[in-house]
Every structure is written in C-alpha cells, then in structure tokens.
C-alpha cells in the first residue's frame, strides 16, 4: 500500500474527473492521496472538495511560487479561511522557483514567508517547492522558524548537502518520478542514503511521469514505479519501502491508507 503525498488532480488536468484516475491508482495499490490545492482559488476549492468527499484524499492549501504575483489580499484571505479546514493537512506548495521565474523573486519570497507564518499559526506542516534556489530556500526556512512545524521538500531535486540541512530543519524528503531519470545521479544518491523514517514518494501528477512512462500524463497509479526504483536503490523490497513511506506520511501529515 502506497500513499501519493503530492498530486494535482484538478479538472483542468483530469477533465474526465479524478475518480476514475483514483480507481486506477487503488487497483495499483495506492490507497491514499494528498491533493495539492494551488493555482487559483477554483483549483484550491476543487482540491478541498475532493478531500471532503473522499476518505482517501486529503488536501493542501497554498500559493505556488509561479503564482506569487497574483496573490493579492483578497485571495490570501480566502486561502487562509480554507487552510483551516480539518481535511487540509499541510500548507503548500509554497517556496521559490528561480528556474522559471514566473513571478518576480521578491514576491515569491514574500509570499513564501507569509505562508510559513500561516502554517505556524495553524500548526500545520509545510510542503516546499524549490527550484534553482537552494540557498535562498534554506535561508527563508531558517529565518521564519519553519522547523516549528516542519514538513516536506517535495519533488526532491537537490544534492546531499541540501538534504542534510533540510533534514536538520525538520523537513522530510519526497521523491517523484525525477529520481528515475537517467541523469538524476545526485537525487539517486540522496534517495539511497536518506534515513528510512524521513522519506516519502509522490507523483506530482500530471507532470514528471517516472521511467518507463516518461512523457505520458502522470497519474497517482504511477507512484508504484517510483517506489520500486527507490526500493532498488536502497536494496529493499518495494513492500518494505511502501510500509516505511506510508508510516512516514502518517506521522508527518496525519494521513493513512484507506482500505476500501
Ligand atoms: Zn512543485
Ligand atoms: Zn506540485
């Protein structure tokens, strides 16, 4: 049994509806889903509605760094209200993306800082998105005392030095399909080495389908391929990795497999 700790299931990605996709995932042994509520107010609401309707789905609420420039006071107020809902298990994804720079960097940083405060007030963990900004991300997490609530570095794509510091700050490492890519040797090194009680797996659907499905629309069922790959790196059976990562998800997010 696996838990996909980071998937986007909005209608714009799955116009046929999330339920069919989740049925396929459940047939593959994936029995819990953390649906990321970012992008727009509608997308956040759709994640939360799915989590309120299905016992095997939980939601997060946040502002993706791509969208930081669009985060005005009105939107932020609405998101704060939604973030308090019991089915919302984390604040995110929030962070910095200096690869795409879809929003100005100062705005990305300001929104990241403000939502770390929200997480601390609500006592909910944080889901961090970080790309091409390792030092800046770690600095903000430290400055804003993110370790009070801890959380997850999602779609881990940094090196071992970053991983060590993130673990110290109370962040677990979540591996997506990227770890299966041939050139991802730094990430594979971290996935082989990281403490067993600090690792998670995710799809980040609809993006980043793992090998051998690379290039397809990614969906939660595919987390099994990532889990197998990470288990191989660690020299353990996929069942053992599934057990460890599910326990970690339960400890970190309070989510657990829902059998039927
Ligand atoms: Zn992300
Ligand atoms: Zn994401």
């Amino acid at each position: 049994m696996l838990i996909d700790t980071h998937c986007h299931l909005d209608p714009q990605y799955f116009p046929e509806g999330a339920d069919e996709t989740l049925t396929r995932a459940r047939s593959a042994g994936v029995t819990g889903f953390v649906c990321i509520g970012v992008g727009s107010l509608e997308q956040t609401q759709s994640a939360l509605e799915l989590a309120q309707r299905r016992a095997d789905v939980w939601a997060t609420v946040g502002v993706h760094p791509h969208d930081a420039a669009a985060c005005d006071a009105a939107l932020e107020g609405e998101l704060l209200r939604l973030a308090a809902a019991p089915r919302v298990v984390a604040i995110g994804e929030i962070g910095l993306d200096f690869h795409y720079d879809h929003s100005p960097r100062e705005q990305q940083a300001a929104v990241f800082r403000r939502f770390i405060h929200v997480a601390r007030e609500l006592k909910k963990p944080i889901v961090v998105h970080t790309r091409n900004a390792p030092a800046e991300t770690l600095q903000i997490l430290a400055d804003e005392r993110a370790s009070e609530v801890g959380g997850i570095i999602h779609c881990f794509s940094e090196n071992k030095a970053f991983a060590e510091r993130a673990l110290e700050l109370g962040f677990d490492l979540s591996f997506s399909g990227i770890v299966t890519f041939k050139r991802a040797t730094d990430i594979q090194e971290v996935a082989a080495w990281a403490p067993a009680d600090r690792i998670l797996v995710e799809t980040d659907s609809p993006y980043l389908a793992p090998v051998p499905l690379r290039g397809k629309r990614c969906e939660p069922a595919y987390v099994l391929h990532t889990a197998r790959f990470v288990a191989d790196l660690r020299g353990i059976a996929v069942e053992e990795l599934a057990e460890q990562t599910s326990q970690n998800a339960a400890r970190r997010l309070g989510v657990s497999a829902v059998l039927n």
Side-chain angles (χ1 to χ4, degrees), residues 6-8 36 38 64 92-93 127 129 154-155 202-208:
H6 190 114
C7 50
H8 300 260
I36 304 300
V38 299
H64 195 287
E93 56 192 289
V127 176
H129 171 108
H154 111 83
C155 195
E202 64 171 73
T203 54
D204 206 12
S205 74
Y207 306 112
L208 301 172

Side-chain angles (χ1 to χ4, degrees), residues 3 31 38 66 83 93 112 140 145 153 170 227 236 247-248 250 259:
I3 294 181
T31 51
V38 299
H66 289 346
E93 56 192 289
F112 187 22
I140 289 178
R145 290 186 282 141
I153 306 293
I236 60 174
Q247 279 177 13
N248 297 343
L259 292 184

